[in-house]
Amino acid sequence: MRKGLLISLVVGVLAAIGPIANASACVGEAKSPAKLSEQVAREAVICLINQRRAHAGLGALQENASLNSSAQAHTVAMAKHNAFSHGNPAERIRSAGYLAGATAWTIGENLGWGPRRRGTPKSVVASWMQSPGHRQVMLGGFRDIGVGMTKGAPFPHFGHNSATYTVDLGTRN
């Protein structure tokens, strides 16, 4: 009888923990590029980055429409023109209006892409976390974030089930 009660308690505790563990997952984080929309990818990347920042004791980044616009335009251009480079992020971010009226500012940018499961938001953010430079940008002293995602790769032979990402981060004073 006692053993049966203990097993019931353990099963009950595990059942209660299950939804809590799942609640920490970011919606769409594991979707393949072919099944992702730009909006779901954007929200998943922001959620995943903010989880990493929280784990590091840092505040959450706030989504910014100007940074979203800069990041999305750059992402689409990279995929369309078969290019993978930062180019001039300061000029793009300025043109998008993020720096208007700022007396001082700091920006950062991460680029990523991947085919199939390597193109999921979770995989791209994980790869950035494994790179010291990219990790430093994500865990830097930024307040704002914009994310761009498009289906396709900056290298055309990888096909449709690929995704390309740009993350623009900034702080304005």
Side-chain angles (χ1 to χ4, degrees):
M1 177 75 170
R2 212 171 161 104
K3 188 175 184 181
L5 179 61
L6 180 60
I7 290 172
S8 293
L9 284 173
V10 169
V11 170
V13 168
L14 290 175
I17 291 173
I20 294 168
N22 290 339
S24 68
C26 298
V27 174
E29 69 180 22
K31 282 191 171 190
S32 70
K35 296 180 180 180
L36 270 176
S37 70
E38 291 170 10
Q39 185 62 34
V40 168
R42 177 178 293 118
E43 291 170 4
V45 168
I46 292 170
C47 175
L48 289 162
I49 291 172
N50 279 335
Q51 281 181 349
R52 268 56 170 206
R53 289 177 62 84
H55 184 72
L58 301 168
L61 297 166
Q62 300 303 307
E63 186 174 7
N64 179 279
S66 295
L67 291 176
N68 277 341
S69 176
S70 170
Q72 186 62 32
H74 186 59
T75 304
V76 169
M78 285 192 299
K80 180 179 179 182
H81 298 292
N82 302 323
F84 190 72
S85 76
H86 291 282
N88 189 340
E91 185 53 38
R92 283 195 321 275
I93 290 170
R94 182 185 310 282
S95 294
Y98 179 73
L99 303 178
T103 56
W105 47 269
T106 305
I107 60 168
E109 179 172 84
N110 282 347
L111 305 178
W113 77 277
R116 295 176 296 285
R117 65 184 158 91
R118 290 187 180 158
T120 67
K122 186 174 185 175
S123 180
V124 170
V125 172
S127 72
W128 287 331
M129 288 300 290
Q130 293 171 3
S131 161
H134 292 97
R135 179 185 178 93
Q136 183 178 4
V137 169
M138 288 191 306
L139 301 181
F142 298 107
R143 289 191 296 250
D144 302 316
I145 186 171
V147 178
M149 176 275 199
T150 192
K151 293 178 184 181
F155 311 102
H157 60 277
F158 282 95
H160 175 70
N161 196 11
S162 295
T164 302
Y165 297 83
T166 302
V167 172
D168 285 338
L169 301 114
T171 298
R172 305 176 52 234
N173 296 320

